[in-house]
Structures are given as C-alpha cells and as structure tokens.
Amino acid sequence: MNVFKVSVQETSNNAIVKFEINQIITKHQSFEFNNIDEAKASPLGQQLFYLPFVKKVYISWNFIALERYDIVEWKDVQDEVAEQIEAYLNDGGLVVEESEITKKTPVTVYAESTPNPAVIKFVANKKLVTSLFEFTSIDEAKISPMATELFHFPFVKSVFIDENYVSITKYDVADWQEITMELREFIRGYIENGKDIVTTGATQTSKHPEAQKASHFESLDDTSKEIVNILDEYVKPAVASDGGNIQFIFYDTESKKVSVMLQGACSGCPSSTYTLKSGIENMLKEMLPGKVAMVEAING
C-alpha cells in the first residue's frame, strides 16, 4: 500500500499555506475553487470548504494550497488540517473526478542541448515527478510507463526524469536532427493526455545502495553534511540546467576522498572528468580546507 504523507509549507502570503504531498494527486493538472459550488468536481475540495476558515482551495500536482479567512491563524490549525488531508487520501478519498483529470490541457515542450552530445533535455511547462528517476533499459523502466514507451524507440539508450524535464541519451545510430522533433512531440502528447509518468508510489531510483543511505542527511558525519550542502547549493542547480544530476554517495575520512554519482546528461559526458577536477574538486578543497583530497565520479 502506498502511504500518503502531508507536510506543511509556509508561503510569502501569510493567509495561504501549502500542504505538500509525497505523491502526485492530479496527473499534473491544477484546479482552483473559490467556493463549495465551484468544487463540485472535487470531493476533497468540498470537504475542505466545510472548514469555516477556508476561503479558497487550490489543488495542483502534488500539493494543496488553502487561503484562510482572518478568523484564525494558520499556526493554530495547520497541523490538524494536514492530518485531515493525509487521513482522507489514505482512506482512498477522491481528489478530483476522473472526467476532470482526463481533460487535455495545453502542454509546451522544448528541446535543449546539453554538454553531452549524446543527450538532449526535453523541458515541459508542467511538473512531472516529485523525485528523480534514471533508467538504462526497458526492464528497469517498469515503474515508469512513459520511460517504457520511450524505450520502444530503437535509438533511445537511457531515460532520466526529474521535476519538469526528461533527458534522453541516444545510440550513435541516429542523429539528433532526425529524431528530436519526433521525441519532442511524443513527450508533449504523452503529458497532454494526462498519462502517468511513473506509477503511484514509485520511489527515487538508484543503482547504488550507498546513494540511498546518503539521503538520510541526519545520519551523516559533519564533513559529509557540509559536502552535501555545498553540492546542493552550488553544483546541483548548474548540473540540472544541463539535464543531469549529481548525488553524494560517501566521504572517506581517512583518504579524504569524496564519491559522487553522475546521472542523466552528466553520466558518461566527455566533459564530466574535466568539470569534476577543475570545478567541483577545487570548490570543495577551497571551501573545506584540509578535509577534501580528491573527488571520484561514478556514472549512474
């Protein structure tokens, strides 16, 4: 059974709070309701309007945002609301009527080159997943209907999905100028039709169990935590813009060696070694003097 978890997130507007959910609940569509009558297509929306302080309900891909009337402060009720939403979802409650979810909504997808000549990044104007996924074969892609269909194209070697983009690595038998339009239109149509990107409850994939353990930030030593923070703040945004991801695996306190995993466009990229040696390694040495001797990269 896939368990729903709800967390409370403040916004810049103190009248609005976001309740983030660990799974996609609307197949990438968004709905806004100003009253209980407008919410008749959303049983969850109607339930929320029964709370006397709820002024507006906004339901999107993996969160629910509520605007309140001034009769209460969010700090007094937000935890209880989160518990109610979590219980409703885990009891199998319907979020939005299927007829509303399956309606087509306009989707834009554009192709973007990456430093890796074998990879192109297809960026959508919709959120696709809540965590990253990488597949190097159709067998690995069982949890992703979209990736499974992409592997039916004979020139697709691997598929990397993160947030709002899909990075595709091709075999050398095809040129991008011949296949880019075909892939872009396939991805756009797939998203527009509201099909599942990954199966409900699918978790972040990784070939390396060490990478999974490293995700438990609080269990890391102090130096490892500093390394993760530096990678997250200074390196990941740039790597993601190129259609890839870098993930901390482990830090050896004796050898002072840092191991990271490259995924998506970065995996096997001709410039990866240079980038690591001249960029990431130097950055860690400079920001953590005496603590880092070298960086080792493992392709995902």
Side-chain angles (χ1 to χ4, degrees), residues 76 92 115 122 124 138 153 161 167 193 214 233 248 277 290:
D76 297 325
F122 296 88
I138 196 169
F153 292 97
I161 308 172
S167 289
N193 284 309
E233 183 174 356
F248 173 80
K277 293 300 178 184

Side-chain angles (χ1 to χ4, degrees), residues 95-121:
V95 178
V96 180
E97 297 287 351
E98 187 67 23
S99 59
E100 293 295 314
I101 291 180
T102 54
K103 287 180 180 178
K104 284 188 178 181
T105 55
V107 172
T108 300
V109 174
Y110 67 88
E112 186 177 285
S113 61
T114 75
N116 188 339
V119 179
I120 275 190
K121 177 181 176 183

Side-chain angles (χ1 to χ4, degrees), residues 33 35-43 45-46 49 97 100:
F33 308 111
N35 55 59
I36 196 168
D37 289 333
E38 287 186 7
K40 59 185 177 183
S42 172
Q46 289 193 314
F49 274 115
E97 297 287 351
E100 293 295 314

Side-chain angles (χ1 to χ4, degrees), residues 72-92:
V72 297
E73 294 293 332
W74 273 122
K75 62 182 176 61
D76 297 325
V77 297
Q78 62 189 25
D79 291 338
E80 183 179 349
V81 173
E83 290 175 6
Q84 289 182 18
I85 294 173
E86 194 171 284
Y88 179 90
L89 294 172
N90 284 316
D91 285 341

Side-chain angles (χ1 to χ4, degrees), residues 36-295:
I36 196 168
D37 289 333
E38 287 186 7
K40 59 185 177 183
S42 172
L44 174 56
Q46 289 193 314
Q47 287 284 333
L48 291 169
F49 274 115
Y50 284 122
L51 299 172
F53 51 82
V54 170
K55 180 179 181 180
K56 183 180 291 187
V57 176
Y58 183 83
I59 302 177
S60 193
W61 68 299
N62 75 322
F63 71 85
I64 297 162
L66 300 181
E67 183 177 353
R68 64 170 172 81
Y69 288 107
D70 292 337
I71 58 174
V72 297
E73 294 293 332
W74 273 122
K75 62 182 176 61
D76 297 325
V77 297
Q78 62 189 25
D79 291 338
E80 183 179 349
V81 173
E83 290 175 6
Q84 289 182 18
I85 294 173
E86 194 171 284
Y88 179 90
L89 294 172
N90 284 316
D91 285 341
L94 190 62
V95 178
V96 180
E97 297 287 351
E98 187 67 23
S99 59
E100 293 295 314
I101 291 180
T102 54
K103 287 180 180 178
K104 284 188 178 181
T105 55
V107 172
T108 300
V109 174
Y110 67 88
E112 186 177 285
S113 61
T114 75
N116 188 339
V119 179
I120 275 190
K121 177 181 176 183
F122 296 88
V123 185
N125 64 336
K126 300 279 186 183
K127 292 284 188 180
L128 304 180
V129 290
T130 56
S131 59
L132 64 88
F133 298 86
E134 184 169 47
F135 310 103
T136 57
S137 71
I138 196 169
D139 289 333
E140 289 183 1
K142 291 177 181 177
I143 62 170
S144 173
M146 172 188 252
T148 297
E149 290 199 31
L150 282 168
F151 276 114
H152 289 154
F153 292 97
F155 43 76
V156 171
K157 183 178 182 180
S158 66
V159 178
F160 179 85
I161 308 172
D162 190 12
E163 292 228 351
N164 68 326
Y165 69 86
V166 181
S167 289
I168 294 179
T169 306
K170 71 172 180 66
Y171 286 106
D172 293 337
V173 295
D175 292 326
W176 281 122
Q177 60 191 37
E178 299 171 350
I179 62 176
T180 299
M181 183 64 72
E182 183 179 6
L183 286 171
R184 186 182 72 82
E185 284 305 303
F186 168 80
I187 292 170
R188 186 194 62 77
Y190 189 99
I191 299 169
E192 191 172 75
N193 284 309
K195 294 181 179 180
D196 289 334
I197 309 299
V198 295
T199 55
T200 302
T203 56
Q204 180 174 324
T205 61
S206 172
K207 296 179 188 176
H208 304 276
E210 295 88 351
Q212 293 286 7
K213 293 176 185 176
S215 67
H216 301 292
F217 183 79
E218 292 305 320
S219 67
L220 300 176
D221 61 84
D222 290 342
T223 301
S224 294
K225 288 180 180 179
E226 290 180 293
I227 293 169
V228 170
N229 287 332
I230 291 170
L231 292 176
D232 285 349
E233 183 174 356
Y234 297 101
V235 182
K236 278 194 174 185
V239 171
S241 69
D242 288 332
N245 183 60
I246 185 167
Q247 188 170 348
F248 173 80
I249 298 179
F250 66 88
Y251 168 71
D252 189 305
T253 54
E254 293 186 5
S255 65
K256 298 180 181 178
K257 180 174 74 174
V258 178
S259 292
V260 297
M261 180 167 62
L262 301 177
Q263 296 173 300
C266 296
S267 180
C269 176
S271 63
S272 292
T273 301
Y274 174 80
T275 301
L276 278 166
K277 293 300 178 184
S278 65
I280 300 169
E281 186 175 285
N282 290 340
M283 179 186 294
L284 291 175
K285 285 180 177 179
E286 183 178 336
M287 299 182 75
L288 301 172
K291 296 181 180 180
V292 174
M294 66 171 292
V295 172

Side-chain angles (χ1 to χ4, degrees), residues 18-36:
K18 283 175 64 176
F19 297 88
E20 291 196 353
I21 300 155
N22 64 335
Q23 300 178 40
I24 291 175
I25 58 174
T26 66
K27 293 190 178 179
H28 323 292
Q29 295 192 42
S30 300
F31 303 88
E32 184 174 327
F33 308 111
N34 293 294
N35 55 59
I36 196 168

